[in-house]
Amino acid sequence: MRAARLIKMVLLLQSRPSMTAAQLAEELEVSERTVTRDAQALSEAGVPVYADRGRAGGYRLVGGYRTRLTGLARHEAEALFLSGLPSALREMGLDDAASAARLKVSAALLPSLRDASRTVAQRFHLDAPGWYHEPATPELLPAVAEAVWDDRLVRARYSRPSGEVERELAPYGLVLKAGVWYLCARAGEDFRVYRIDRFAAVAVSETRFVRDEDFDLPRFWEDRAAQFARSILRTEVTVRLSEAGVRRLPHAMDRAAVDEALAGAAAPDAEGRRTVVLPVESAEVAYGQLLSLGPEVEVLAPAALRERFADTAERLRDLYR
């Protein structure tokens, strides 16, 4: 426990010009007397901790002292290398910087930990795009990524169904979803989501913006993704499902919408089938989704969709007769 606290104290002093005993005590969650004893212990161990006296005094490291990262345990070192996503870094133009950082960290590790990057790379790999889809890297992604890193405003032209629009954006974060890159940005007073591959032009400004410290990228994306999924479900279909159909339905349609529909459905009938009202994007989309369930689903409404399934069943029967 004390060893971990001493390492943290050195790292704190290494990251700042100096710190008072009160500041160190607050960061380390100990008393100022304990800070004094720890500083003395570090000094006796050869770490050049110097105490300045007086009202403006405090503790600091002498002579630009830097500690090596020998306090990392194996699982910590492996987690550090696991955090890198090679394909994403490459697409953002950051693969060289990431490679240099990994080399520097590796050089600072104990010899027994220097194989951490290799052992993790052989055990874990993230392949973000979906199957049967070869995503193209948006040409403007590196410029957008640079603006995100530096908190710089951008002037962007964005393609919409109604035509191109031009916006000044404060780019807060990038999200890679199923092989598609999205930008989460503030436009005026609102936060919005933009597909990077729909940017026609991006000009990075020299002007930096001030981030809203309350903005949480993972939470924002989760909320917007859920809103989007709900917003496209504009119509309903009524179906009867066999037990197998109930099991397979979440793999054919939006899982959250299916779970909600099943939770509100009545108990199975005498034939073991459940009648469920499903929110869907459109009758056309529902046709493709439900068709994959074959005889495990019967469409009850709307009538036009039921007739289409009946016609498909007739054609299949004729085809396999």
Side-chain angles (χ1 to χ4, degrees), residues 13 73 119 167 199 313:
L13 294 175
T119 57
R167 295 281 188 272
F199 282 123

Side-chain angles (χ1 to χ4, degrees), residues 218-239:
R219 185 182 305 164
F220 171 80
W221 176 259
E222 183 179 357
D223 290 344
R224 286 304 171 92
Q227 289 175 19
F228 174 76
R230 289 192 296 268
S231 70
I232 63 174
L233 304 179
R234 301 185 181 94
T235 189
E236 292 181 339
V237 298
T238 304
V239 298

Side-chain angles (χ1 to χ4, degrees), residues 25-293:
E26 182 178 357
E27 288 280 352
L28 300 172
E29 298 180 349
V30 295
S31 65
E32 292 186 31
R33 181 173 297 181
T34 298
V35 168
T36 301
R37 289 198 298 265
D38 286 351
Q40 183 178 353
L42 287 171
S43 180
E44 292 173 354
V47 178
V49 178
Y50 181 78
D52 289 318
R53 305 295 180 184
R55 176 178 296 181
Y59 292 94
R60 61 186 175 87
L61 295 175
V62 179
Y65 175 84
R66 311 291 294 179
T67 183
R68 293 164 65 87
L69 296 178
T70 52
L72 285 177
R74 168 167 290 277
H75 72 280
E76 294 171 329
E78 290 177 341
L80 175 63
F81 287 106
L82 178 61
S83 65
L85 307 179
S87 61
L89 291 169
R90 182 171 58 252
E91 292 179 6
M92 288 189 290
L94 299 173
D95 51 335
D96 289 341
S99 177
R102 284 192 294 269
L103 286 173
K104 290 178 180 179
V105 172
S106 294
L109 293 173
L110 287 170
S112 61
L113 300 180
R114 288 177 185 166
D115 66 338
S117 61
R118 181 181 59 80
T119 57
V120 170
Q122 296 304 317
R123 288 166 173 79
F124 301 99
H125 176 69
L126 175 64
D127 185 9
W131 289 104
Y132 318 117
H133 177 63
E134 187 65 32
T137 302
E139 182 180 347
L140 296 174
L141 177 59
V144 176
E146 179 185 355
V148 170
W149 277 114
D150 292 341
D151 293 340
R152 294 186 185 274
L153 294 171
V154 299
R155 173 69 61 175
R157 282 194 290 115
Y158 190 73
S159 299
R160 306 173 73 173
S162 58
E164 287 188 356
V165 295
E166 187 168 312
R167 295 281 188 272
E168 183 178 68
L169 305 174
Y172 270 64
L174 289 167
V175 175
L176 178 61
K177 171 71 172 180
V180 179
W181 284 95
Y182 297 88
L183 173 68
C184 301
R186 191 180 67 220
E189 298 299 320
D190 300 324
F191 284 96
R192 299 179 181 177
V193 176
Y194 301 86
R195 278 185 63 142
I196 301 295
D197 57 8
R198 291 182 183 168
F199 282 123
V202 171
V204 180
S205 169
E206 292 298 319
T207 304
R208 285 188 165 88
F209 64 91
V210 178
R211 279 181 169 266
D212 180 352
E213 296 300 327
D214 293 331
F215 180 80
D216 185 318
L217 180 59
R219 185 182 305 164
F220 171 80
W221 176 259
E222 183 179 357
D223 290 344
R224 286 304 171 92
Q227 289 175 19
F228 174 76
R230 289 192 296 268
S231 70
I232 63 174
L233 304 179
R234 301 185 181 94
T235 189
E236 292 181 339
V237 298
T238 304
V239 298
R240 288 179 72 230
L241 294 159
S242 67
E243 185 178 342
V246 170
R247 290 197 304 269
R248 290 166 52 185
L249 187 62
H251 302 288
M253 308 183 76
D254 180 75
R255 181 177 292 272
V258 168
D259 289 344
E260 185 175 343
L262 289 174
D269 58 21
E271 297 178 7
R273 288 180 171 258
R274 298 184 68 181
T275 299
V276 181
V277 178
L278 294 169
V280 296
E281 185 174 347
S282 66
E284 181 65 30
V285 172
Y287 173 77
Q289 293 171 327
L290 295 173
L291 193 61
S292 66
L293 301 183

